[in-house]
Amino acid sequence: MIKDLPPNTVERLSLYRRRLLNYPTTTEYIHSHQLAHLLKINPAHIRRDLMLINFTGDVHRGYNIPDLIVRIGEVIDSKRKRKICFVGIGDLGRAVAEYFNSKETKLEIAATFRIEKEPKSQFPDVSCYNISRMKEIIKKEHIELCVIAVPRSYAKSISKTVIDSGVRGILNFSSVYIDAPDDIYIEDYDMISKLEKMAYFTHEDKPE
Amino acid sequence: MIKDLPPNTVERLSLYRRRLLNYPTTTEYIHSHQLAHLLKINPAHIRRDLMLINFTGDVHRGYNIPDLIVRIGEVIDSKRKRKICFVGIGDLGRAVAEYFNSKETKLEIAATFRIEKEPKSQFPDVSCYNISRMKEIIKKEHIELCVIAVPRSYAKSISKTVIDSGVRGILNFSSVYIDAPDDIYIEDYDMISKLEKMAYFTHEDKPE
DNA sequence: TTATCTTTGTGAAATAAGTAACAATTAAAT
DNA sequence: ATTTAATTGTTACTTATTTCACAAAGATAA
């Protein structure tokens, strides 16, 4: 862990690592502009972020990939494992779950919850419960982080339950307002507003 | 439609409207600080955004809700309907789909695609096809926007197909790099980096 | 050996995003 | 009629984020 990095830098460091983990293992070094290209950002941005975490590269070969992966881990990962649960998020969860099996991450999917009465598990090694058991399981498993992607009508009470259960952070896809104490980290993602923004910036009939 | 609004303003305007549509219908006016509270932002921010779209409020009653909803539509919506497809996104899609039935939106889910050989539709009125039929359907239906949430191994070829089919914008949840021409709007959302960021900002063992 | 070229590391500059502050306004209370 | 109180609209300010631009370093080629 390192001091107080800007939120955007933390997020980018995580992205750098993900990209590097998928980089051809035959290459040992990468230049700032190569990594920048993969992320569609400016090379100076990369250099600046790495400067912030005191990681230096070689003027000619660039940055050593394995070392950088390790360094990013030292900086953004906590020492212990952090447990996550997914509430009502099937497909998207499956799309990202493969990463959670890598030993590079300190995050672990400890449980999933669904609205159906007797849900079947979507992931091989992760149990899936009905939402009525959330509080019990979250406490028992010491789950700290939570992703919520349920319809409006459920979201409010579910968020209340997970907060009561001791969760420290929520990634909220549900588009409802979550009222939480200041020490709970809430990140809202509203897919519809992203789509409406995308619609705005992709249509031609712009002039009023 | 109106001039060139900052991307973040467009996104917020969309959020304002969503919140207002869910506001109790008995209330006709809302103050900047009330709306700000719902969005966890600063009231001045609201006033600024509404200033940008030339919407004025009443010094005492605040902003007229129905009028504001209309004005936001004039500003960010296109005149015609825009069709969207979801690829490999079941649950999250379902969680947001209810909004697309409202006549306030110009967005319409025209099709969903899944990896399974013979997928069943998740939405009452939307057909679901196997991904092999994407190009055909996207062209036939004139689908312009696309949300991709498939596992890594599929993402690359799917994004290529949808771009070839004429889609104008992609919301990419898949964490793979999408190489697209400049006139295609790509918005990447990486859930894992969000979770890693959340983990960083919610753990106590911060000092190095 | 010398010149050329490329890339890092980083201060400075530029841009974007968000917040504060307050005059102007006017309803409601006195 | 006068005061009080609240809220908008807007300018100025602050902070955050991104990009530029270039010296320093050193490999490679001439």
Side-chain angles (χ1 to χ4, degrees):
Chain A
M1 296 296 304
I2 201 175
K3 51 207 167 192
D4 293 305
L5 297 168
N8 289 9
T9 294
V10 174
E11 198 173 316
R12 275 193 303 269
L13 288 170
S14 163
L15 281 171
Y16 299 164
R17 177 167 61 179
R18 313 264 321 286
R19 290 290 193 278
L20 294 173
L21 287 168
N22 280 298
Y23 213 68
T25 47
T26 45
T27 27
E28 205 183 348
Y29 285 84
I30 192 169
H31 291 295
S32 60
H33 67 265
Q34 295 173 306
L35 186 51
H37 178 73
L38 290 179
L39 286 133
K40 296 166 187 156
I41 63 174
N42 190 294
H45 224 144
I46 307 265
R47 300 200 294 273
R48 180 155 290 274
D49 285 336
L50 300 191
M51 191 180 97
L52 286 175
I53 63 170
N54 306 313
F55 188 83
T56 66
D58 180 286
V59 170
H60 285 94
R61 288 182 295 176
Y63 300 98
N64 180 283
I65 294 175
D67 288 354
L68 179 49
I69 289 171
V70 169
R71 181 60 186 150
I72 291 175
E74 289 169 0
V75 164
I76 70 171
D77 291 337
S78 43
K79 274 149 217 124
R80 57 190 171 77
K81 276 265 181 190
R82 314 286 304 276
K83 291 187 180 180
I84 299 181
C85 69
F86 289 170
V87 186
I89 181 170
D91 297 275
L92 181 53
R94 208 157 33 237
V96 299
E98 52 193 306
Y99 179 70
F100 291 97
N101 296 321
S102 99
K103 65 176 186 321
E104 297 294 341
T105 182
K106 290 288 182 178
L107 303 181
E108 178 192 337
I109 303 175
T112 63
F113 299 96
R114 312 213 75 196
I115 287 160
E116 291 96 72
K117 212 64 206 141
E118 295 192 8
K120 323 191 256 309
S121 182
Q122 313 112 66
F123 310 123
D125 303 315
V126 183
S127 300
C128 185
Y129 308 92
N130 177 266
I131 50 169
S132 61
R133 298 189 62 194
M134 275 196 308
K135 192 159 190 168
E136 168 205 346
I137 306 290
I138 289 173
K139 287 193 174 220
K140 193 177 77 186
E141 295 279 344
H142 303 289
I143 290 170
E144 296 178 88
L145 306 173
C146 175
V147 183
I148 297 180
V150 294
R152 287 197 70 79
S153 47
Y154 293 89
K156 195 113 197 168
S157 86
I158 285 177
S159 64
K160 197 169 172 327
T161 304
V162 301
I163 290 170
D164 286 351
S165 309
V167 152
R168 315 280 319 122
I170 297 174
L171 185 48
N172 174 35
F173 284 93
S174 80
S175 87
V176 308
Y177 173 77
I178 293 182
D179 188 16
D182 285 347
D183 61 332
I184 307 285
Y185 180 100
I186 308 270
E187 177 145 330
D188 296 299
Y189 182 86
D190 191 296
M191 199 173 93
I192 291 166
S193 65
K194 299 289 180 187
L195 287 170
E196 294 192 328
K197 178 172 74 168
M198 185 157 86
Y200 177 85
F201 286 108
T202 57
H203 57 191
E204 41 329 294
D205 52 330
K206 272 208 176 172
E208 194 171 16
Chain B
M1 297 297 305
I2 202 177
K3 51 208 166 191
D4 293 305
L5 297 168
N8 289 10
T9 295
V10 174
E11 200 173 315
R12 275 193 302 270
L13 288 171
S14 162
L15 281 170
Y16 299 163
R17 177 167 60 178
R18 313 268 319 285
R19 291 289 193 277
L20 294 172
L21 287 168
N22 280 298
Y23 213 67
T25 46
T26 46
T27 27
E28 205 183 347
Y29 285 83
I30 192 167
H31 290 297
S32 59
H33 66 266
Q34 296 173 307
L35 186 52
H37 177 74
L38 290 178
L39 286 133
K40 297 168 185 154
I41 62 174
N42 191 294
H45 224 144
I46 307 263
R47 299 201 294 274
R48 259 311 213 51
D49 285 336
L50 299 192
M51 192 180 96
L52 285 176
I53 64 169
N54 307 312
F55 188 81
T56 68
D58 180 288
V59 170
H60 286 94
R61 290 181 295 178
Y63 300 97
N64 181 282
I65 294 176
D67 289 354
L68 179 49
I69 289 171
V70 169
R71 180 61 186 148
I72 291 175
E74 290 170 0
V75 165
I76 69 170
D77 290 340
S78 42
K79 275 150 216 124
R80 57 192 171 78
K81 278 264 181 192
R82 314 287 303 277
K83 291 187 180 179
I84 299 180
C85 67
F86 288 172
V87 186
I89 182 170
D91 296 274
L92 182 53
R94 208 157 32 238
V96 299
E98 52 193 304
Y99 179 70
F100 291 96
N101 296 322
S102 100
K103 66 177 185 319
E104 297 294 340
T105 181
K106 290 288 184 179
L107 303 182
E108 177 192 339
I109 304 175
T112 63
F113 299 97
R114 311 213 76 194
I115 287 160
E116 291 96 72
K117 211 65 206 137
E118 294 192 8
K120 325 190 252 310
S121 182
Q122 314 111 66
F123 311 121
D125 303 315
V126 183
S127 302
C128 184
Y129 308 91
N130 176 265
I131 50 169
S132 61
R133 298 188 62 194
M134 276 198 306
K135 193 159 190 169
E136 168 205 345
I137 306 290
I138 289 173
K139 287 192 173 222
K140 193 177 76 188
E141 295 279 344
H142 302 289
I143 291 170
E144 295 178 88
L145 306 172
C146 174
V147 183
I148 297 180
V150 294
R152 287 196 71 77
S153 47
Y154 293 88
K156 195 111 196 170
S157 86
I158 285 178
S159 63
K160 197 171 172 328
T161 304
V162 302
I163 291 170
D164 286 351
S165 308
V167 154
R168 314 281 319 126
I170 297 174
L171 185 47
N172 173 35
F173 284 94
S174 80
S175 88
V176 307
Y177 172 77
I178 293 182
D179 188 15
D182 286 346
D183 61 331
I184 307 285
Y185 180 99
I186 308 270
E187 177 145 328
D188 296 299
Y189 182 86
D190 191 299
M191 199 172 93
I192 291 166
S193 65
K194 300 289 180 187
L195 287 170
E196 294 193 328
K197 178 172 76 169
M198 184 158 85
Y200 177 85
F201 286 109
T202 57
H203 57 190
E204 34 339 289
D205 52 331
K206 272 209 178 173
E208 196 171 12

